[in-house]
Structures are given as structure tokens and as C-alpha cells.
Amino acid sequence: MLTLTDTAAQVIRDLSSQVTDSPDTGVRISSQSDGTGSLVLSIAEHPESADRVVESEGARIFLDPQVVDMLDDKSLDADIDEGGGVAFLVTEQLH
């Protein structure tokens, strides 16, 4: 199952709280429809009915069914640059 680093969990909690006070808000990961295998991250107020929900340290990730297997053995990390910009990184899980 997808895991989150501490940094990614903090960034997701921060992003979610900026959008709404709802405890159900999280980041949804889906695949881009152009067939490139690219992932799309977006803030969602709740998961879609078929999404798998991953929770870690108060952060919620909603996985579109098409990306569940692709991310099963991965970890989500976040990198924050000096200007406060955020880049999410998908890496192999450390065992």
C-alpha cells in the first residue's frame, strides 16, 4: 500500500486545511487520460465512491482505482523549495 513520508503528510494536511475545514478533505491521485502514465494530484473534499483511501498522520489520500496497483509499493514524498513551492515525488518504499 502507498505510504507517506512525514513531509508529505504535513504538506497534505496543510493543503487540505487551506481549502476547507472538513475532516474528509484530502489529495486525490488519478491517472492522466492521455495514456502517458502521468499522475494528477488534486485537492478533493471527499473520495469518489471507488477510491481507495490511505490515511497517515492525519493526511488523507484518495487513490483512483486505476492507480492503486501502480502505487502499491511506492512512497509519496514532498519537496518544498525556498519560495514555498511544493513538488510531490513518488519513490520506491524502503523496506
Side-chain angles (χ1 to χ4, degrees):
M1 181 184 323
L2 178 72
T3 61
L4 305 178
T5 66
D6 293 342
T7 303
Q10 180 63 52
V11 168
I12 290 167
R13 284 193 308 270
D14 290 348
L15 289 171
S16 297
S17 68
Q18 290 174 13
V19 174
T20 179
D21 290 333
S22 171
D24 296 330
T25 302
V27 170
R28 185 165 195 268
I29 302 176
S30 57
S31 62
Q32 201 158 22
S33 59
D34 61 7
T36 62
S38 297
L39 298 175
V40 177
L41 279 72
S42 57
I43 301 293
E45 290 190 24
H46 53 78
E48 299 292 325
S49 60
D51 286 353
R52 177 173 294 169
V53 178
V54 176
E55 295 188 55
S56 177
E57 300 177 36
R60 293 170 47 95
I61 298 285
F62 312 136
L63 300 176
D64 179 283
Q66 295 178 337
V67 302
V68 169
D69 289 339
M70 179 191 328
L71 298 176
D72 188 49
D73 61 347
K74 303 292 190 264
S75 181
L76 185 67
D77 194 6
D79 185 34
I80 304 169
D81 66 24
E82 292 176 7
V86 176
F88 284 100
L89 311 161
V90 176
T91 62
E92 296 293 326
Q93 285 182 7
L94 301 175
H95 295 280

